[in-house]
Amino acid sequence: MKKRTGVFVCHCGINIAGTVDVKKVADKLGKHKAVAHSEDYVYMCSDPGQNLITNAIKEHKLDSIVVSCCSPTLHEKTFQNAAKAGGINEFQSEIANIREQCSWVHKDKEKATIKAEKITRSAVERVNKNESLEPISFPVTRRAMVIGAGIAGIQAALDMANTGYEVVLVEKNPSIGGHMIQLSETFPTLDCSQCILSPKMVEVSKHENIKLLTYSEVQEISGYVGNFNVKIKKNPTFVDPDKCTLCDECTKVCPVLTSDEFDLGLTGRRAIYMPFPQAIPATYTLDDKHCPGLLPIACGKCADVCDPGAIDYDMKPEIIEEEVGAIVIATGFDLYEKEEMGEYGSGKYPDVLDGLQFERLCSASGPTQGEVLRPSDHKVPKEVVFIQCSGSRDPEQHCAYCSKICCMYTAKHAMLYKHHVPDGQAYIFYIDIRSGGKGYEEFVQRAVEEDGVVYLRGKVSKIFEYNGKIRVWGVDTLAGKDIEIDADMVVLAQAMRPSKDADKLAKLLKISIDKDGFLQEAHPKLRPVESVTAGMFLAGAAQAPKDIPEAVAQASGAAAKALAILSQENLFHSPQVAKSIPNLCTGCGMCVDVCPYDALSLKNGKVEVNEVLCEGCGTCSATCLRAAIEVKNITPYQIYEMINASLGG
Amino acid sequence: MVNLDDLKKEALNLLKDEKVKYIIGYTEGSNGTSAAPAFIKNPEDTDKLVWNPGCFHNLTRFLRDEKKRKAREKHPDERPVGIVVKGCDSRAINVLLQEKYIKRDDVFILGVSCESTGVIDEKKVAKKLKGKKAQKIEWDTNRNLVVTTEDGTTKIPADEVLAERCVECPVHSPVVYDIFFGDKIKRTTDAQFKSVEKIENLSQKEKWDFWKKQFDKCIRCYACRSVCPMCYCDECVVDTISFAVTADTTAEEKAQRIKWIEKSPTPSETFIYHIIRAIHLAGRCIDCGECERVCPLDIPIRFLNKKLEKEAKSLFDYEVGFDPDQLSLVSSFKDEDPEDFIR
Amino acid sequence: MAEEFEPKIVAFLCKWCSSAGSDLAGVSRMQYPPNVVPITVMCSGSVSPLYILSAFNKGADGVLVSGCHPGDCHYIKGNYYARRRIALVKELMEYIGLEPDRFQMSWVSAAEGIKYTKIIKDFVNILKPLGPQTNLRRSQ
């Protein structure tokens, strides 16, 4: 079954013809047994050039074409369209790159011509074994899911919902808002975090296109881009939000006192609680880990005082199934635990705080109503030491990476402290100041110039309690001397790390994580909001440490990417994908292991290709010991023939 | 010491209780030194089982036939097959499990420890006996081979007759089993890759001359491939269409088979055959040495596989056949894999 | 006088980095010897050892496999698998006494036209004194 291939050699003006004898190439290839027609032309990509191809296909009844011209990155599509216009399948067109890889890099005309012949012959051999393929088309479930409802998740959900698509927003905590709602003010403008975030939270709760699932976690996922099926477990809150009137009688009778997550342990809360006054959804949650017993026999005080009868001890976890076409993952960050910092007291000194605790301390709604007081004795601290890079940039002991936001928020902390305690002194130990960003450098300068913050370039080696103070031993490398400060309070700019259990979620979603546990983007430069799995996008600090504007920007980027899927009724996918040869497959599963896209699976002891997920990289085919899997139109047989042609054989 | 009676008793019980379909073990061979593989179905035949220094066959190779037979049966007997394995053979089972070729409950493993010795190299023993025929061989407790011939018994130190792979063996006792026989002796070897190092130390030309001489002998009988428990592919990539053509094989599939190498044993083709085979066994070969043992032309095929075993260990910290759940050598990587050879 | 030996090189270039890098060499009009014929594959991870051996078998004097730098693979990790697989092939070829210099692997990014040019130039210079590769070449 020989093909009737047409070979079209382009002069590209003198770009090719100046070095390669194009007529000779066309003549030589014309003698190939599978070539039914060959010619050369000055500009194949021009309209007349394309028409020449289209007409030649019809006139010479060609079933495939090879165009010897420039790199396929430039005109592959052009000539595929010319093939289509001639009435043949677009995958029956191949490019032989005789410009970038030949005429432009050689001067010897004779040798370049021979090489161009080989390259063209190689393409002829390839196209001779090409299959005609049609793009794979499949329908899209036109709604989205966002996992994580911090600022990134909220932004992504709102962006998509405002475009008219339904969004399922899943949050594991009882309220949305993430870490941003815990912050007091935000850099570099010092506007109040709650003031700018809570309107967005309310918008989420009221949005007709957003289905909010709080206190919920993704449990299972199947499907692929355009068609995911997600099982979500909604944990019982034991409080019916429709009946609850927010009278707050329940917390008054609850006998349990446990540490408050929202205030990071600086205050306490009851077993039945509302995470914070602006919580969305605005309702109470009964925390069954701390409640003495869900049996009314054990306690039952809250149910007794609840007039509307909103408390239901028999509430069970609920499994909710959602069909979505795209998923945005915005699981955010947690701080690197103070307990990990042996050199800074392992979290055992009450007056050594982490960045988020200090935020709560400065917050008007915080445990001290916005007064900066020492947790140990509620005195106003007069000397505060801020330590940057606490856990960051320390590959030996902690995290190797830069957490990116600490330089800025530490400057902010020092400033806020000075605004609260004008006669106090703030010291900041730093390695470098990284203040890249709009208005950021000016902000740091303002801390130094207006608020008299003392920046000390060096690391703190040790802190310990001494005479009711925290003694800080550090070094000022610029002055070249050791520093000892007896501080009233120390604030550690703890590193950002991926939120707890993000790795488990990543495993569930089959997206990869990087060496530090952050979600891995598809390409570090060119695909920064996409995960490696088609249809799953990344937003916010789950992907890498970032500040609020960056998280919001990435969220909008992720939303736009997801919308690009949702806005289509059908998705198309390149059909140049892997194909298995069942007779040869023994089901060893090595190809399944190497596939970066989870496109392969074993069924009844044979490999199966999910053509929608496959990107056609061919790593499976090189891994298979039995040649039982190959990529269409670049099969081992084709490569074998191409090798032969390339060597002039 | 391995108590043969224990082995027989367990085998008897397994068959009597119908726990296994049959047992693949060793029985007395015909020439006094070599044992022979035995397939025992009747409980009374368990008495024919032997365990001696001539049990060098890797019986896991027969699991391939078992799998094929089972696939043909309409109502296959789902009971496991009992199989006697040594340390090396047990690692083959792990690799087969890793590659999902068999399932753990397809086999009931009777693991036998090699203790302080191993199996013999028949050729070394024959040389020692100078033409005399052995009637019986066994190890004594002092690492000597006790050979009984018509002239009486002689003792030969183990190190003089052990198969080379046993000298280089790092395990000596099964790593996966259902019943264990003998003593679990921890023996380490500092000579795991001695044979490889010998060749590595040659100059490039000497290496080529060595292998050229070896491969020139090759008649491409494929005995090495047939005996290998890992060469279980239905069709080998070096063959054009051969035995894997079934009723379902389409003309297109046949047409898509490539002739990577010619069938005739010319030097270039033979070299490529052996390189491909070694590459395909990288991270899978457990050094049972069967390929080399069955080679009618005494080509030291083991040295090739052993080289890649060494590189897998030194470059990628990968050891074969200890963990059926690990990813295979070539379907895994580490960020820190060496790349000093890459420009 | 006999003509100078011109080695034949087959270069397996991944589509996204190395082939793009060789395109850049072209766009920048860098010059290198015409001994190399490129075969663009999707990913260096798709280069089977069979391809390499087949190239030698069909008369290549040198074979180059080139992919994206670690971490830059268009398909995320294909080049890592390639790195491991090719390390094994290289070790084995050397062990058998084949000239190890005949087989090279490189990382060439889409921006490294200069590097690609240098690799080809160097490769040709290394191969010239070695003469034709006959060890694995199928006799005609």
Side-chain angles (χ1 to χ4, degrees):
Chain A
M1 182 197 68
K2 225 171 285 153
K3 278 195 173 169
R4 290 180 61 81
T5 305
V7 173
F8 303 89
V9 187
C10 180
H11 299 204
C12 196
I14 57 157
N15 278 307
I16 294 172
T19 320
V20 170
D21 185 341
V22 285
K23 289 211 184 309
K24 200 172 165 193
V25 174
D27 280 353
K28 198 77 178 271
L29 266 295
K31 297 194 179 85
H32 190 285
K33 56 188 188 305
V35 176
H37 174 74
S38 75
E39 63 183 301
D40 58 280
Y41 184 70
V42 61
Y43 286 112
M44 282 292 173
C45 61
S46 66
D47 270 357
Q50 293 182 48
N51 289 338
L52 178 147
I53 294 174
T54 309
N55 293 335
I57 294 172
K58 290 175 184 158
E59 191 183 325
H60 299 280
K61 297 193 172 56
L62 304 178
D63 56 10
S64 53
I65 59 166
V66 166
V67 187
S68 290
C69 56
C70 52
S71 167
T73 50
L74 298 168
H75 282 302
E76 187 170 43
K77 202 79 212 157
T78 312
F79 296 120
Q80 284 184 342
N81 289 336
K84 265 204 271 192
I88 59 175
N89 184 275
E90 62 191 283
F91 288 91
Q92 298 295 355
S93 161
E94 285 293 338
I95 303 280
N97 178 355
I98 60 166
R99 192 178 76 175
E100 283 84 348
Q101 294 182 341
C102 187
S103 72
W104 275 353
V105 287
H106 309 311
K107 286 209 170 77
D108 185 322
K109 208 166 168 173
E110 195 186 330
K111 284 179 180 164
T113 304
I114 293 172
K115 178 171 166 180
E117 281 169 22
K118 288 179 182 171
I119 294 175
T120 309
R121 233 202 82 193
S122 171
V124 169
E125 300 295 350
R126 181 175 175 189
V127 87
N128 261 285
K129 292 193 164 47
N130 267 8
E131 292 175 59
S132 292
L133 304 171
E134 294 300 333
I136 300 160
S137 154
F138 53 96
V140 177
T141 308
R142 300 172 77 177
R143 57 206 294 268
M145 175 172 288
V146 177
I147 304 172
I151 178 58
I154 288 174
Q155 183 66 40
L158 285 175
D159 281 352
M160 290 192 282
N162 287 337
T163 323
Y165 294 99
E166 241 182 81
V167 179
V168 182
L169 179 58
V170 183
E171 167 59 49
K172 73 173 173 194
N173 290 319
S175 170
I176 64 172
H179 284 307
M180 184 176 165
I181 200 69
Q182 292 175 302
L183 308 182
S184 58
E185 272 91 28
T186 55
F187 61 80
T189 46
L190 293 189
D191 41 356
C192 142
S193 186
Q194 289 192 340
C195 314
I196 55 176
L197 182 56
S198 47
K200 277 182 182 286
M201 290 164 61
V202 173
E203 198 185 339
V204 164
S205 71
K206 303 269 186 254
H207 208 296
E208 56 175 358
N209 284 337
I210 295 180
K211 179 173 177 183
L212 180 58
L213 297 174
T214 48
Y215 217 33
S216 302
E217 282 168 272
V218 172
Q219 267 209 323
E220 215 181 299
I221 185 160
S222 58
Y224 46 84
V225 55
N227 299 281
F228 293 109
N229 177 294
V230 190
K231 285 199 180 117
I232 300 142
K233 180 180 162 207
K234 185 163 173 48
N235 295 311
T237 58
F238 305 102
V239 178
D240 182 344
D242 295 335
K243 290 185 186 163
C244 175
T245 59
L246 308 179
C247 67
D248 203 35
E249 291 302 321
C250 50
T251 63
K252 290 177 192 156
V253 296
C254 180
V256 178
L257 191 63
T258 179
S259 119
D260 187 321
E261 294 88 353
F262 187 71
D263 281 336
L264 298 127
L266 293 176
T267 52
R269 64 156 172 85
R270 300 292 166 179
I272 189 162
Y273 69 110
M274 185 144 146
F276 49 94
Q278 303 86 342
I280 300 280
T283 184
Y284 286 78
T285 300
L286 177 62
D287 157 16
D288 56 354
K289 274 183 211 75
H290 293 98
C291 179
L294 293 168
L295 294 171
I297 289 173
C299 176
K301 287 198 170 102
C302 51
D304 289 347
V305 297
C306 185
D307 270 346
I311 293 169
D312 173 8
Y313 293 122
D314 295 328
M315 211 181 263
K316 293 277 173 300
E318 207 182 325
I319 301 292
I320 299 167
E321 251 183 87
E322 296 287 350
E323 306 274 343
V324 295
I327 298 175
V328 174
I329 303 138
T331 47
F333 72 98
D334 276 325
L335 284 190
Y336 191 68
E337 289 80 4
K338 274 190 300 186
E339 286 67 27
E340 303 274 348
M341 306 301 297
E343 60 272 48
Y344 299 156
S346 306
K348 64 173 182 270
Y349 308 129
D351 297 332
V352 178
L353 306 179
D354 66 30
L356 271 178
Q357 286 177 318
F358 192 73
E359 293 283 348
R360 295 308 303 145
L361 219 53
C362 294
S363 170
S365 68
T368 53
Q369 281 77 43
E371 274 188 84
V372 178
L373 300 173
R374 289 175 19 136
S376 61
D377 54 10
H378 288 255
K379 284 192 187 136
V380 176
K382 293 294 180 192
E383 283 194 312
V384 179
V385 171
F386 295 88
I387 302 175
Q388 291 192 179
C389 297
S390 176
S392 300
R393 302 179 69 189
D394 189 348
E396 276 81 32
Q397 298 186 64
H398 305 294
C399 311
Y401 53 88
C402 165
S403 294
K404 197 169 183 181
I405 62 167
C406 326
C407 287
M408 292 309 299
Y409 80 62
T410 304
K412 176 189 78 180
H413 284 171
M415 237 187 236
L416 292 178
Y417 165 69
K418 285 289 288 184
H419 297 172
H420 282 103
V421 187
D423 62 336
Q425 182 58 55
Y427 302 93
I428 298 179
F429 280 95
Y430 71 103
I431 305 178
D432 300 290
I433 299 293
R434 296 180 169 178
S435 54
K438 199 168 173 177
Y440 287 10
E441 176 59 21
E442 296 90 317
F443 185 77
V444 174
Q445 289 307 325
R446 200 174 125 198
V448 178
E449 287 161 16
E450 288 181 20
D451 295 305
V453 176
V454 175
Y455 271 85
L456 297 161
R457 189 181 192 280
K459 284 202 88 166
V460 170
S461 59
K462 195 177 175 181
I463 61 178
F464 52 98
E465 254 177 351
Y466 184 79
N467 261 349
K469 297 213 169 204
I470 309 284
R471 178 161 283 185
V472 178
W473 279 352
V475 61
D476 179 352
T477 55
L478 293 180
K481 61 179 185 192
D482 294 340
I483 304 274
E484 183 181 278
I485 299 169
D486 285 336
D488 298 310
M489 185 187 277
V490 172
V491 180
L492 304 176
Q494 288 299 96
M496 262 173 139
R497 60 158 46 167
S499 69
K500 201 170 148 274
D501 295 342
D503 52 337
K504 284 187 200 140
L505 181 69
K507 213 168 174 186
L508 211 63
L509 300 176
K510 294 181 184 131
I511 57 178
S512 30
I513 52 175
D514 65 21
K515 64 180 194 333
D516 301 312
F518 291 104
L519 302 179
Q520 179 76 50
E521 63 282 355
H523 191 282
K525 289 115 204 169
L526 301 177
R527 298 169 72 191
V529 303
E530 296 160 77
S531 79
V532 292
T533 308
M536 294 195 194
F537 305 98
L538 313 176
Q543 181 249 338
K546 51 173 71 75
D547 60 23
I548 296 167
E550 283 179 327
V552 171
Q554 196 186 18
S556 290
K561 284 279 177 191
L563 287 170
I565 291 172
L566 301 187
S567 61
Q568 300 175 69
E569 264 178 54
N570 286 293
L571 285 180
F572 293 94
H573 185 269
S574 164
Q576 217 176 314
V577 293
K579 172 177 113 179
S580 77
I581 300 153
N583 270 355
L584 298 173
C585 178
T586 65
C588 72
M590 285 192 199
C591 54
V592 177
D593 295 333
V594 298
C595 179
Y597 304 100
D598 265 308
L600 305 177
S601 56
L602 290 175
K603 202 168 176 190
N604 299 328
K606 304 273 178 193
V607 67
E608 269 196 354
V609 181
N610 182 330
E611 297 197 332
V612 175
L613 294 180
C614 177
E615 295 280 328
C617 70
T619 302
C620 51
S621 77
T623 307
C624 183
L625 303 175
R626 313 162 226 287
I629 192 161
E630 59 190 27
V631 176
K632 289 177 187 169
N633 289 355
I634 185 144
T635 62
Y637 204 176
Q638 288 177 304
I639 301 268
Y640 173 84
E641 295 290 2
M642 288 164 82
I643 292 169
N644 213 1
S646 301
L647 290 161
Chain B
M1 283 290 274
V2 176
N3 186 338
L4 179 60
D5 289 335
D6 287 350
L7 179 65
K8 286 179 180 174
K9 200 177 84 200
E10 293 290 353
L12 179 72
N13 289 339
L14 284 171
L15 286 170
K16 253 195 351 214
D17 301 347
E18 299 184 340
K19 277 197 181 140
V20 297
K21 230 187 281 188
Y22 59 92
I23 289 171
I24 311 175
Y26 300 95
T27 190
E28 209 64 65
S30 53
N31 70 357
T33 45
S34 166
F39 302 83
I40 295 175
K41 285 195 180 67
N42 298 322
E44 55 269 31
D45 289 342
T46 50
D47 202 39
K48 293 181 186 159
L49 284 171
V50 299
W51 174 250
N52 65 39
C55 293
F56 31 64
H57 315 79
N58 183 345
L59 303 176
T60 61
R61 180 237 169 275
F62 295 110
L63 294 175
R64 187 168 85 203
D65 306 280
E66 164 61 23
K67 176 159 170 150
K68 292 206 168 131
R69 193 178 310 121
K70 205 167 152 182
R72 283 197 301 271
E73 285 167 1
K74 269 211 180 110
H75 304 289
D77 184 344
E78 294 293 346
R79 284 176 300 164
V81 171
I83 184 163
V84 177
V85 297
K86 306 181 288 291
C88 46
D89 312 338
S90 76
R91 290 166 66 200
I93 288 198
N94 268 342
V95 177
L96 293 174
L97 288 171
Q98 182 186 3
E99 297 180 0
K100 303 173 191 65
Y101 190 70
I102 57 169
K103 292 194 288 291
R104 183 62 182 85
D105 28 339
D106 288 342
V107 282
F108 188 95
I109 306 168
L110 302 157
V112 186
S113 172
C114 288
E115 295 173 335
S116 61
T117 51
V119 295
I120 53 155
D121 180 333
E122 250 186 313
K123 285 162 197 149
K124 287 186 188 166
V125 174
K127 224 182 214 170
K128 291 275 175 198
L129 294 182
K130 298 189 180 84
K132 276 178 287 186
K133 197 170 176 301
Q135 288 162 339
K136 194 181 163 199
I137 54 170
E138 59 191 343
W139 298 117
D140 70 6
T141 46
N142 297 319
R143 298 188 81 239
N144 289 311
L145 185 72
V146 185
V147 188
T148 313
T149 64
E150 48 193 9
D151 304 343
T153 63
T154 39
K155 277 189 182 183
I156 313 171
D159 292 334
E160 292 173 26
V161 287
L162 270 177
E164 196 170 6
R165 59 171 158 120
C166 295
V167 179
E168 298 187 345
C169 174
V171 271
H172 305 104
S173 63
V175 292
V176 54
Y177 51 82
D178 293 298
I179 307 178
F180 192 93
F181 301 93
D183 301 324
K184 285 183 195 170
I185 291 180
K186 249 210 141 81
R187 209 177 82 185
T188 50
T189 171
D190 53 351
Q192 201 185 340
F193 299 109
K194 210 169 163 189
S195 50
V196 173
E197 280 151 13
K198 233 164 36 198
I199 297 176
E200 284 174 337
N201 290 334
L202 300 176
S203 73
Q204 186 211 317
K205 188 173 176 308
E206 286 167 334
K207 282 177 192 163
W208 172 255
D209 291 345
F210 172 81
W211 287 110
K212 177 91 170 63
K213 202 173 130 205
Q214 296 300 336
F215 290 150
D216 275 352
K217 295 189 286 189
C218 179
I219 53 168
R220 299 268 292 286
C221 65
Y222 298 132
C224 45
R225 194 172 76 184
S226 305
V227 79
C228 180
M230 298 312 152
C231 279
Y232 58 73
C233 297
D234 291 326
E235 182 179 313
C236 181
V237 286
V238 305
D239 290 332
T240 42
I241 319 165
S242 53
F243 43 86
V245 178
T246 67
D248 310 328
T249 313
T250 62
E252 192 200 356
E253 275 170 0
K254 283 185 206 168
Q256 293 305 314
R257 306 299 298 140
I258 316 157
K259 226 171 170 182
W260 290 111
I261 54 171
E262 296 283 347
K263 278 196 168 136
S264 49
T266 53
S268 64
E269 311 304 291
T270 303
F271 261 92
I272 292 181
Y273 164 69
H274 284 286
I275 296 174
I276 293 175
R277 186 166 180 277
I279 291 283
H280 278 197
L281 286 170
R284 306 172 66 230
C285 172
I286 42 80
D287 195 20
C288 66
E290 288 286 87
C291 47
E292 186 168 314
R293 183 180 67 82
V294 299
C295 179
L297 292 135
D298 293 335
I299 300 171
I301 306 169
R302 240 192 89 229
F303 292 0
L304 285 180
N305 304 324
K306 197 79 185 159
K307 165 70 178 171
L308 290 180
E309 184 186 336
K310 179 177 177 229
E311 295 309 329
K313 193 172 174 184
S314 71
L315 297 177
F316 310 121
D317 196 21
Y318 186 95
E319 287 195 277
V320 186
F322 291 97
D323 174 12
D325 295 324
Q326 76 178 342
L327 289 173
S328 62
L329 176 67
V330 291
S331 62
S332 56
F333 67 84
K334 288 184 189 147
D335 285 347
E336 65 273 18
D337 278 353
E339 57 172 23
D340 45 358
F341 64 95
I342 299 173
R343 290 198 52 178
Chain C
M1 206 181 89
E3 247 184 82
E4 193 187 6
F5 166 65
E6 289 294 348
K8 292 182 188 169
I9 302 169
V10 174
F12 296 97
L13 310 179
C14 83
K15 176 174 173 171
W16 306 96
C17 290
S18 297
S19 191
S22 85
D23 279 355
L24 179 64
V27 173
S28 324
R29 306 299 199 278
M30 291 163 186
Q31 298 292 307
Y32 56 82
N35 302 55
V36 59
V37 179
I39 294 179
T40 300
V41 292
M42 298 305 275
C43 177
S44 55
S46 76
V47 178
S48 155
L50 287 168
Y51 298 176
I52 298 155
L53 294 167
S54 186
F56 284 124
N57 190 229
K58 298 257 183 280
D61 300 303
V63 175
L64 172 73
V65 176
S66 189
C68 307
H69 285 268
D72 287 351
C73 177
H74 183 79
Y75 302 106
I76 309 141
K77 47 189 186 178
N79 54 353
Y80 290 103
Y81 295 115
R83 180 172 69 181
R84 190 171 262 211
R85 198 179 298 129
I86 281 169
L88 292 169
V89 176
K90 214 168 158 58
E91 288 291 344
L92 190 66
M93 288 178 68
E94 189 174 346
Y95 181 71
I96 285 184
L98 297 160
E99 290 119 329
D101 289 342
R102 291 194 185 275
F103 176 40
Q104 295 205 0
M105 185 173 185
S106 61
W107 303 136
V108 173
S109 80
E112 291 177 325
I114 299 174
K115 183 174 178 187
Y116 181 76
T117 306
K118 186 167 175 357
I119 283 170
I120 300 300
K121 279 184 185 166
D122 291 352
F123 202 5
V124 171
N125 287 336
I126 289 167
L127 291 173
K128 274 193 176 169
L130 291 179
Q133 182 276 127
T134 52
N135 294 343
L136 297 181
R137 186 186 211 139
R138 184 177 295 177
S139 43
Q140 297 300 319

